[in-house]
Amino acid sequence: MAMVTSSRGMEETEQAGRPDTADTARDKSETQAISLPVTGMSCVACARTIQRTLEAVPGVSAAGVNFATNRATVRFDPSLVTVDSLAEAVRSVGYDVLTPGAGDVRDERSIEDVEQRAREAEYGRLCRRLVVAAVFSVPIFVLSMAEVVFRGLHWVELALAAPVIFYSGAQFYRGAWASVRHRNADMNTLIAVGTGAAFTYSVVATAAPGLVAAAHGAAAVHHGAPVYYEVATAIITLVLVGRLLEARARGRTSEAIKRLITLRPRTARIVRDGIEIEVPAGQVVQDDEVIVRPGERIPVDGEVTDGGSAIDESMLTGESLPVDKAPGATVFGGTVNRTGTFRFRATRVGRDTTLQQIVRMVQEAQGSRAPIARLADVISGYFTPIVICLAVLTFVAWFDVLPPGARFATALVNFVAVLIIACPCAMGLATPTAILVATGKGAEKGILIRGGDILERAGHITTVVLDKTGTITRGQPEVTDLIAVGSHLETSLFARLAPGSQGGKGHGLGYDPPPDAESGGFRYDPLGEEEALLAVAASAERRSEHPLGQAIVRAATARQLPVAEPAAFEARPGFGVVATVDGTRVVIGNERLMRQEGASTAPVDDEARRLTAASRTVMYIAVERLPDSGHRTPDDRVLEVVGLIGLADTPREQSARAVRRMKDMGLEIVMITGDNAATAEAIARAVAPDGEISRVIAGVLPDAKAGHVKALQAQGKVVAMVGDGINDAPALAQADVGIAVGSGTDIAIEAADITLMRNDLGGVADAIALSRRTMGVIKQNLFWAFAYNVLGIPIAAGALYPFTGWMLSPMIAAGAMSFSSVSVLTNSLRLRRA
């Protein structure tokens, strides 16, 4: 089935995550990206054939085929070409595209089921072909090695070899013929030519020995020409063994994505028309009421409406501790309900759920190529024709230099050995298998990497730029200091506040205390000065949407203080708020607002300086009051500062450890923030007491962050930008690698190359470490793949014979070729333990 995906992660995009020009954006809006599950590929040359075929289809703007994942990613114009025509194009070159059956739901899980069934069927076919090959080739090998001679021996060997060639090896010959028809050459070509030459010669020697006996001298005339049935059958058997091991190893490389896909439950329990019913998860629609019981997986994303529970979100974040959920909290499809029963309203369903977006992002990353793979791609493109030429030259050279009695047999054996040992499978698997395992491993740990090019660039990072707010810190200010000016409290609004009883509110703020039985009046039990200050500030800020105002309201609520609804409210952006609480005008904001309103800050200047030095954000609270003496009228009211509230965005618990780890990895760390220098330096000292942060850039406007990143790049540094806000998006896009933390906005995550699903700065170090290790594995794979061919081809051609008298048997060449591919896969699988 063709799986429509987002445009990110396409192989043709060299600068993934970078802003597009207007023309590019317009072009992309008119195209779609799909992922086609392809079967029948046997090597990287097959992938190139399919890619060239798809690129030649009118309406296709880009195509990429990944041999490791067996997927073709295509960007096309739906007005010019259909998915069915793309599938037909793939089938026209001898391969197939998987599609769900008529009863399958068309979603990612059904596609994975179809692919899984296809893999199992292919594995079963390989097993059957291998069994037949082994059963019939072993007797041939025994007869050949034992040098048994009897009349009709060659006819017996032919009878045993025929099932191996025409059944077990049929796939190689069909693949080679398809390649020839499309003027290509691949691994099938090498195997088919090598085994076909040995088998054809042997058949001729068996059926018409007189035709070839002369080429082998007088001995052959009397005893018959030698045959090479054991060579042809053993090569096919050993190649099938390698294919079987390779299929098993490749299946293990994609286990992470399989686990992600299978996390979503198949059914969901919903309420429709007041009736509780169970439906397939794919049939849940937005705004459905969903019921989840303990131990069940949540089917789709939504918002809790009733009940609560502890949810295991480790599949998204890698964090093992359950997260408490109450009404209003967001839950994600695929996560596990650990304790209570609750209901939620479905907000994201089908392909829009967080889990499905992660699956698509990981699939796109696994389908992409790292720039380091281009060398292998270029060499592989020319490799097979060159090898065939080398094999022919090897045959000619040995046929020319050896005496008549031995030259043909020796030339043929070396010709076959060169063809077989040079199959370029290991080169084709070196890079994509490592990327496949690494991106899957990253997803398991809550690190989403958009593509192989990103993975490669991350390994070269030298400088990490950390946004302060929401990245190093929690991104949520908290009240840390309350300072009241006591001499003004008796005549201020605070003197009228009474403590709230359970569910109650203070007098003058909507709550009337019970009458005093003795006096007939009211009992007054005033709040403490700091509590009263916080209660009035929270009442004034109750309608505010500013993070600082909301922090004040949260602090008052946490202390169970009375919070009233202001009679009037006015937000002053960049300054503060002005509100009327219980008939009294209250002004809360920065020092500029106090000056603007004519309130003197002199009584609290010393405390304000102390809080600022401690990296606190200072909020001044002023109320209107009558003068203390003289003739007083309402017009005489003055605005007087009565206290300060200090707020701070505190560092995350993991930030200091993460910063220290990055420094130990040899990275330069820069902190950038829009806050003032004093606050920035205080946070830097808190998370980097030993100077791990080498530079602090404070007072940076949102649109200037990208400029600072660009300046670092101009110094020759490879820069990673880590942020979470909308104002970080330009800098994330400008950086060589943009990293968005999980608490970030959708815009920041869309602009980023790597997304951390958990709010832990340690994920940055994890991502860079994973990249470095992956690049190390890729380089090892490429080295051994190239070294294997550089050393193997001359040995197969007989380069050692003049010195040692040793020739490489084609059977050993076949085993070595299979081993090289399996060794590359095994090396890549080590990343699963990263």
Side-chain angles (χ1 to χ4, degrees):
M1 174 181 176
M3 194 64 190
V4 179
T5 66
S6 67
S7 63
R8 302 299 300 267
M10 289 293 293
E11 293 184 20
E12 79 279 9
T13 304
E14 296 297 331
Q15 296 295 326
R18 304 295 178 267
D20 298 310
T21 64
D23 290 339
T24 304
R26 182 169 61 254
D27 292 342
K28 285 190 175 182
S29 67
E30 298 171 353
T31 63
Q32 289 182 356
I34 61 170
S35 180
L36 300 170
V38 180
T39 62
M41 289 191 291
S42 59
C43 67
V44 70
C46 300
R48 284 197 307 274
T49 299
I50 298 171
Q51 180 172 327
R52 285 196 295 266
T53 302
L54 289 170
E55 288 173 340
V57 176
V60 172
S61 58
V65 182
N66 190 311
F67 172 50
T69 60
N70 287 329
R71 287 217 175 198
T73 306
V74 188
R75 176 165 292 284
F76 69 104
D77 185 344
S79 66
L80 299 177
V81 63
T82 65
V83 173
D84 290 338
S85 60
L86 293 174
E88 285 305 315
V90 173
R91 295 184 180 111
S92 71
V93 290
Y95 305 93
D96 197 11
V97 175
L98 296 176
T99 56
D104 289 326
V105 179
R106 289 178 174 263
D107 61 14
E108 187 62 42
R109 184 160 184 168
S110 70
I111 295 172
E112 176 61 27
D113 289 342
V114 172
E115 288 185 286
Q116 180 64 30
R117 290 196 294 269
R119 283 192 293 267
E120 291 174 353
E122 176 63 21
Y123 189 80
R125 284 192 294 270
L126 280 174
C127 288
R128 289 192 295 273
R129 293 179 189 278
L130 176 59
V131 168
V132 170
V135 167
F136 287 97
S137 61
V138 168
I140 299 175
F141 183 78
V142 171
L143 290 173
S144 174
M145 293 298 103
E147 297 183 354
V148 177
V149 178
F150 59 87
R151 186 176 181 84
L153 170 64
H154 292 346
W155 288 102
V156 171
E157 291 178 321
L158 172 59
L160 292 171
V164 179
I165 299 297
F166 296 111
Y167 173 72
S168 299
Q171 57 183 324
F172 304 123
Y173 300 108
R174 283 196 299 266
W177 175 242
S179 296
V180 170
R181 285 192 298 113
H182 294 92
R183 297 186 298 277
N184 295 313
D186 58 16
M187 172 186 171
N188 292 318
T189 307
L190 299 178
I191 295 174
V193 172
T195 59
F199 180 75
T200 301
Y201 165 79
S202 299
V203 170
V204 172
T206 300
L211 294 178
V212 297
H216 295 277
V221 172
H222 296 286
H223 302 289
V227 294
Y228 299 100
Y229 292 116
E230 78 281 3
V231 171
T233 56
I235 288 173
I236 289 176
T237 303
L238 290 170
V239 171
L240 286 174
V241 170
R243 284 275 183 93
L244 199 67
L245 295 174
E246 182 181 316
R248 291 187 62 182
R250 287 172 64 187
R252 292 170 62 197
T253 62
S254 58
E255 283 181 359
I257 194 70
K258 293 177 193 173
R259 284 195 292 269
L260 283 174
I261 291 173
T262 55
L263 283 176
R264 196 187 77 177
R266 293 186 178 272
T267 61
R269 191 176 292 105
I270 63 174
V271 177
R272 287 182 183 167
D273 300 324
I275 301 174
E276 182 178 324
I277 58 175
E278 190 170 280
V279 299
Q283 295 182 10
V284 177
V285 299
Q286 193 169 342
D287 293 327
D288 267 345
E289 183 180 5
V290 185
I291 302 173
V292 184
R293 296 192 173 100
E296 295 180 342
R297 285 194 182 274
I298 298 170
V300 296
D301 295 1
E303 181 179 316
V304 177
T305 57
D306 181 48
S309 182
I311 306 297
D312 179 1
E313 295 184 347
S314 59
M315 50 76 64
L316 288 177
T317 65
E319 178 59 55
S320 59
L321 294 177
V323 180
D324 292 329
K325 301 289 183 179
T330 300
V331 293
F332 302 98
T335 57
V336 180
N337 178 25
R338 290 299 187 196
T339 54
T341 299
F342 66 92
R343 300 186 178 205
F344 71 91
R345 179 179 63 85
T347 56
R348 290 184 177 183
V349 298
R351 294 175 49 79
D352 295 328
T353 64
T354 301
L355 176 60
Q356 288 300 101
Q357 291 174 3
I358 291 173
V359 168
R360 287 199 299 275
M361 186 183 293
V362 175
Q363 285 176 335
E364 289 171 2
Q366 293 181 341
S368 67
R369 290 180 297 176
I372 195 173
R374 291 176 188 155
L375 177 61
D377 290 343
V378 171
I379 293 177
S380 297
Y382 296 99
F383 193 77
T384 301
I386 292 174
V387 167
I388 292 176
C389 293
L390 290 174
V392 172
L393 289 175
T394 299
F395 180 90
V396 171
W398 283 107
F399 191 86
D400 185 60
V401 302
L402 291 179
R407 62 187 181 186
F408 187 86
T410 304
L412 179 65
V413 168
N414 288 339
F415 169 80
V416 174
V418 170
L419 289 174
I420 299 304
I421 201 169
C423 289
C425 290
M427 280 188 286
L429 292 170
T431 299
T433 53
I435 291 175
L436 187 67
V437 177
T439 51
K441 183 65 177 180
E444 287 183 351
K445 297 300 181 182
I447 303 169
L448 304 184
I449 304 170
R450 287 195 181 275
D453 55 336
I454 308 300
L455 193 64
E456 181 172 342
R457 284 206 302 271
H460 300 300
I461 289 171
T462 60
T463 302
V464 178
V465 179
L466 302 174
D467 176 58
K468 179 182 75 69
T469 306
T471 304
I472 294 177
T473 64
R474 298 177 182 276
Q476 188 177 59
E478 299 175 356
V479 173
T480 56
D481 301 89
L482 295 168
I483 300 172
V485 183
S487 61
H488 298 286
L489 292 179
E490 290 184 0
T491 55
S492 72
L493 175 65
F494 308 134
R496 300 201 302 274
L497 295 179
S501 59
Q502 185 175 0
K505 297 179 180 179
H507 178 60
L509 299 176
Y511 167 66
D512 293 325
D516 190 307
E518 296 181 359
S519 65
F522 290 106
R523 290 187 293 108
Y524 288 95
D525 186 9
L527 297 174
E529 291 178 353
E530 288 78 12
E531 290 178 323
L533 179 72
L534 181 58
V536 171
S539 299
E541 294 276 11
R542 186 164 184 169
R543 296 186 192 175
S544 175
E545 296 181 354
H546 194 281
L548 295 178
Q550 292 176 347
I552 291 173
V553 174
R554 284 198 308 272
T557 303
R559 292 169 171 79
Q560 298 183 336
L561 299 180
V563 179
E565 184 71 26
F569 175 84
E570 178 190 1
R572 302 278 183 87
F575 293 89
V577 302
V578 178
T580 300
V581 179
D582 193 33
T584 299
R585 187 167 181 261
V586 180
V587 179
I588 303 177
N590 54 30
E591 187 177 5
R592 288 181 296 170
L593 180 60
M594 296 299 112
R595 289 199 300 268
Q596 189 180 82
E597 292 291 319
S600 173
T601 62
V604 293
D605 280 347
D606 290 341
E607 291 292 343
R609 283 191 290 270
R610 180 181 66 81
L611 292 177
T612 301
S615 74
R616 304 292 193 261
T617 298
V618 180
M619 299 282 283
Y620 293 79
I621 296 91
V623 298
E624 272 191 346
R625 57 183 294 275
L626 291 171
D628 292 333
S629 60
H631 179 69
R632 299 181 295 177
T633 68
D635 293 336
D636 294 328
R637 289 180 177 272
V638 295
L639 190 66
E640 195 162 343
V641 175
V642 294
L644 300 173
I645 295 181
L647 300 100
D649 183 11
T650 56
R652 300 183 189 275
E653 294 87 347
Q654 310 92 340
S655 293
R657 182 172 63 252
V659 168
R660 185 165 55 252
R661 183 180 169 201
M662 283 186 276
K663 186 67 175 179
D664 291 341
M665 293 170 66
L667 298 168
E668 176 189 11
I669 304 172
V670 176
M671 187 177 81
I672 191 167
T673 179
D675 267 353
N676 60 68
T679 300
E681 291 289 351
I683 293 295
R685 287 194 298 271
V687 299
D690 298 324
E692 291 89 348
I693 295 179
S694 59
R695 183 181 174 193
V696 176
I697 307 173
V700 180
L701 296 176
D703 57 354
K705 290 183 178 180
H708 285 281
V709 171
K710 193 172 184 179
L712 289 169
Q713 291 172 320
Q715 300 172 20
K717 298 175 180 178
V718 181
V719 180
M721 173 69 196
V722 186
D724 76 321
I726 292 175
N727 59 359
D728 296 325
L732 289 170
Q734 173 63 44
D736 296 285
V737 179
I739 303 176
V741 297
S743 59
T745 64
D746 290 340
I747 294 176
I749 292 174
E750 180 63 23
D753 301 307
I754 298 174
T755 299
L756 307 179
M757 297 304 295
R758 63 184 189 272
N759 299 324
D760 183 356
L761 201 57
V764 177
D766 290 339
I768 295 173
L770 179 62
S771 172
R772 290 179 176 179
R773 185 163 182 179
T774 302
M775 294 311 299
V777 168
I778 289 175
K779 290 175 181 177
Q780 292 168 8
N781 287 348
L782 289 174
F783 171 80
W784 287 114
F786 285 124
Y788 163 81
N789 283 287
V790 168
L791 295 174
I793 292 176
I795 293 174
L800 297 180
Y801 182 78
F803 310 102
T804 64
W806 183 76
M807 290 281 192
L808 181 66
S809 166
M811 290 180 284
I812 296 176
M817 183 271 291
S818 298
F819 175 76
S820 68
S821 298
V822 175
S823 64
V824 164
L825 282 163
T826 304
N827 193 43
S828 296
L829 286 171
R830 292 192 303 115
L831 289 167
R832 296 172 63 199
R833 300 191 298 272

